[in-house]
Amino acid sequence: MAKFPIFSCNFPLIFLLSSFYFLTVQPISSSLLKSLNNNPNFDSEIALFGDAEPVDAGSYVNITRPSVSSSGLLLRQKPFKFLDANLSSPTSFSTEFTFSMTPGSGDGLLLVLAPKDFGSTFSGKGPFGLNGENQFLGIEFDTEMNGNVNDLNANHIGVDVGSFVSLTVGNVSSLNLELNSGEKLKSWIDYVASSKRLEIRLSKLGEPRPYNPITAYGIDLLGMWKNEDVYVGISSSNSNGNSSQISSVYSWSFRLRNIPNSMHSLPVNPRGYLDEHGEHLSVHKRRVCPLTVLAGMIFVTGCGALVAFVVLFLWAIIISRHTVFPAEFPVKPVEFRYEKINVVVEKDADSVKKQSI
């Protein structure tokens, strides 16, 4: 009986220790997913790790804080395969997200794909918080100049495979944009498995999707990962000792596409396809090509001329059938009979007598 009071006295302490362990050890995603579920601008499978936290009642997410060594991660918890036994062709993907970065130096923003759940091992150390990760594909939106990793300048987009040495770089300054101006930007990233081509596009929020990518890279992701589970996330960090940059994400969608190998075309907006649940998504408008408009006008003019010719031809046939011409009768010779008539003029007697006097 003496043990019961001891247990009852220690129960509050045990409860507090258990709660502290749960909050510190478990990922913060379990408490934040509920807030993001109410935001239609984010997919429901997204979890948050590190310093990533929803802001303004969950309307957007700050991945980093304005402090040194801050890092955070948005992770899509549902993995996918580039080689799926249920699909007839390799898997392609399209993703788009809206973001901003405050002025100042920092690592920037990284869209990362890796063949393991790197959220569960997210340490927050190293560039973009991916310390020790060497099997990944990264598209970096870099705001720091580092010539050792092939950085073009402090305002570029690079494609990284297995390391942060960029294999191809796009100059954001050529678009008259600045990544860390605090302005909201939107990026489209598309991968087509049939052409093994990755394309990245960027513009201001509210502007149409660019027709030409800022940079592109040929890569065989199916050959890299085959039927492994692949996770995708958006990461940011302030690994530089003087950095205090805030990276924010306002929307993010990720869609898988299955394209037959016979089709070989430019990747398109993810909202122009069916999503994983079979729901149809709206098609994003593209720029109209002047040659397409001219060809359409010529085609319409030709069709109009052909229709007019057919109508006139049928009208002529109908009119010719209903025209009434006067009847013609044969002309026959008519015989005339001539008779000789003798006229006798008689003069009276008075006129004769007058002539004789």
Side-chain angles (χ1 to χ4, degrees), residues 336-343:
F336 292 94
R337 182 178 176 182
Y338 297 93
E339 293 183 357
K340 187 176 181 181
I341 302 174
N342 296 324
V343 179

Side-chain angles (χ1 to χ4, degrees), residues 257-282:
R257 297 185 285 114
N258 183 249
I259 302 177
N261 291 324
S262 58
M263 293 181 62
H264 184 83
S265 59
L266 289 175
V268 299
N269 191 287
R271 301 188 185 279
Y273 287 85
L274 298 178
D275 64 10
E276 297 169 320
H277 305 289
E279 297 178 355
H280 187 73
L281 301 170
S282 61

Side-chain angles (χ1 to χ4, degrees), residues 18-28 49 120:
S18 300
S19 301
F20 177 77
Y21 174 81
F22 177 80
L23 292 175
T24 56
V25 176
Q26 296 296 324
I28 63 174
F49 297 87
S120 59

Side-chain angles (χ1 to χ4, degrees), residues 225-247:
W225 294 322
K226 297 181 175 60
N227 61 344
E228 294 185 71
D229 286 337
V230 178
Y231 291 82
V232 59
I234 298 178
S235 176
S236 181
S237 64
N238 291 330
S239 60
N240 191 331
N242 298 323
S243 60
S244 58
Q245 192 176 79
I246 301 176
S247 299

Side-chain angles (χ1 to χ4, degrees), residues 27-30 32-33 36 46-50 52-54 61-62 73-75:
I28 63 174
S29 60
S30 59
L32 298 182
L33 275 175
L36 291 180
I46 295 177
L48 286 78
F49 297 87
E53 59 179 358
V61 176
N62 281 344
L73 171 69
L74 276 71
L75 179 68

